[in-house]
């Protein structure tokens, strides 16, 4: 699953990068918010089962695969291979189908999400957003304070 070695952004993704990537996917395809949460659950499940980590060379394709499997489980309109090729041109249709099968084997075909898992993930996401907003607010306040001190 780490075939995407041609990606030029070679830094480990932070929460903001992954969030921005997901937001662009969701705006592109107009997905419901619960799809985002279920995608995050499946991605986390894959990482926990395999011991893998999100790396500069794998995180985008792992997110895309998690999203595609979520959409199939939810019986929602798919993110089609042609759409993915626009966003991520390194893979053809056969590659994506193969990677989906590998993904499913890696999670032992365990794609069911219980209400408790959904609630737990939702609370984690809320906490991460609050924490991120708090850090952003503190950073903005510090920058404002520094600018104010410079002008005085």
């Amino acid at each position: 699953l780490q075939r995407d070695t041609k990606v030029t952004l070679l830094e480990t993704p932070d929460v903001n990068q992954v969030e921005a990537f997901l937001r662009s996917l969701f705006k592109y395809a107009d997905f419901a918010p619960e799809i985002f949460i279920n995608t995050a659950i499946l991605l986390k499940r894959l990482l926990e089962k395999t011991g893998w980590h999100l790396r500069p060379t794998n995180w985008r394709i792992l997110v895309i695969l998690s999203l595609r499997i979520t959409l199939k489980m939810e019986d929602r309109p798919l993110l089609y291979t042609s759409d993915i090729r626009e966003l991520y041109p390194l893979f053809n249709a056969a590659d994506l189908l193969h990677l989906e099968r590998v993904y499913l084997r890696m999670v032992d075909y365990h794609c069911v999400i219980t209400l408790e898992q959904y609630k737990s993930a939702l609370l984690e996401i809320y906490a991460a957003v609050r924490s991120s907003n708090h850090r952003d607010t503190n950073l903005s306040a510090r920058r404002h304070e520094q600018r104010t001190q410079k002008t005085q």
Side-chain angles (χ1 to χ4, degrees):
L1 288 174
Q2 294 188 358
R3 180 175 166 208
D4 53 340
T5 55
K6 294 180 185 177
V7 174
T8 57
L9 182 62
L10 293 178
E11 53 189 49
T12 302
D14 63 16
V15 171
N16 294 329
Q17 285 176 296
V18 175
E19 179 188 1
F21 184 67
L22 281 172
R23 282 184 190 273
S24 68
L25 286 174
F26 279 73
K27 283 181 184 176
Y28 180 81
D30 195 30
F31 294 126
E34 64 269 12
I35 298 298
F36 170 80
I37 295 164
N38 290 342
T39 297
I41 291 169
L42 287 184
L43 179 59
K44 184 177 178 183
R45 187 175 293 164
L46 174 73
L47 298 176
E48 287 173 352
K49 283 228 174 226
T50 61
W52 293 346
H53 299 279
L54 295 181
R55 303 268 188 234
T57 56
N58 72 4
W59 72 271
R60 288 173 189 83
I61 193 62
L62 292 178
V63 168
I64 288 170
L65 290 169
S66 299
L67 175 59
R68 278 181 55 103
I69 291 168
T70 296
L71 292 170
K72 287 179 180 181
M73 294 299 297
E74 297 282 327
D75 198 24
R76 300 286 178 103
L78 291 179
L79 184 61
Y80 293 103
T81 304
S82 58
D83 297 328
I84 293 172
R85 298 253 2 233
E86 273 185 51
L87 298 166
Y88 206 85
L90 300 175
F91 296 98
N92 62 34
D95 291 335
L96 289 169
L97 290 173
H98 172 73
L99 290 173
E100 283 180 23
R101 283 190 220 103
V102 170
Y103 186 111
L104 290 168
R105 280 195 302 270
M106 298 307 281
V107 295
D108 297 324
Y109 297 89
H110 179 59
C111 295
V112 174
I113 297 170
T114 66
L115 181 59
E116 289 75 27
Q117 291 168 330
Y118 184 89
K119 286 179 183 178
S120 176
L122 187 59
L123 291 174
E124 279 184 54
I125 290 168
Y126 282 150
V129 168
R130 268 190 302 238
S131 174
S132 177
N133 288 342
H134 180 68
R135 281 193 305 270
D136 291 346
T137 302
N138 286 342
L139 182 59
S140 295
R142 275 187 260 133
R143 285 182 183 157
H144 177 71
E145 184 179 315
Q146 289 170 349
R147 275 183 261 151
T148 305
Q149 289 174 353
K150 286 180 183 178
T151 59
Q152 292 177 351

